[in-house]
Amino acid sequence: MKIVKQHFHTNKNDTGSLTFLEAMRDIPFMVKRIYYIYDIAKEARRGFHAHKELEQYLICIHGECTILLDDGSEVREVNLNSPSEGLYVGPGMWREMHAFSHGAVLLVLASEYYDENDYIRKYQDFCNYIKEMAKK
Ligand code: T46
């Protein structure tokens, strides 16, 4: 599995830091939706699904968290602990988010509007989907 963890342009000086990224330049899609996850309960695990089409960048803009990625044949965990780094998560990838630090904020840039039909929320359905995709 190829992990795409990207460091975004950051302007840092004595007064602070500013990170920026531009659609179709720094990330490979137009951003249609932004959401963020915060006020996360202690020990919470979220995610537990894959997407059929959606592409996303996950940026832990405050604190840290761990993202588990499973492509059906390999499982990897990636720590996000910098507001200037983003993790690309493409289609056909089971994800779980956990080990959130107190006060962590996870920002997500998404390539599509929200569509529940794009979600695969059962792990067995995900395994079947991966098998079907491999046949094509
Ligand atoms: C993902 C990970 C990283 C909406 O109505 N609109 C939205 O744009 C989103 C993202 C969610 N929702 C609704 C759907 C559920 O009823 O909000 C509720 C919580 O969503 P969910 O349980 O899917 O949240 P997470 O944190 O498990 O997953 C989210 C994204 O849904 C998912 O695409 O990749 O963050």
Side-chain angles (χ1 to χ4, degrees), residues 14-25:
D14 292 346
T15 64
S17 298
L18 184 155
T19 294
F20 60 95
L21 55 120
E22 296 182 338
M24 307 308 292
R25 292 183 174 171

Side-chain angles (χ1 to χ4, degrees), residues 4 7-8 13-14 16 45 48 50 59 63 71 74 79 81 84 92-93 98 111-112 119 126 134:
V4 180
H7 194 84
F8 299 123
N13 63 29
D14 292 346
R45 285 185 87 98
F48 298 96
I59 306 170
D71 65 3
E74 193 184 348
N79 178 250
N81 61 4
S84 62
M93 189 71 77
H98 67 101
S111 63
E112 299 297 335
Y119 284 72
F126 167 68

Side-chain angles (χ1 to χ4, degrees), residues 1-4 47-56 58 67-78 87-97 118-121 123 126-127 129-130 133:
M1 181 195 306
K2 189 172 173 233
I3 300 289
V4 180
F48 298 96
H49 59 258
H51 284 280
K52 296 174 194 163
E53 304 286 343
L54 190 67
E55 297 182 87
Q56 303 191 108
L58 276 54
I67 312 297
L68 177 150
L69 296 177
D70 176 349
D71 65 3
S73 53
E74 193 184 348
V75 178
R76 299 271 300 269
E77 290 206 313
V78 182
L87 175 69
Y88 174 79
V89 183
M93 189 71 77
W94 187 263
R95 83 282 319 264
E96 296 171 17
M97 302 90 82
D118 190 63
Y119 284 72
I120 306 169
R121 290 199 183 265
Y123 191 74
F126 167 68
C127 295
Y129 180 80
I130 292 292
M133 284 295 126

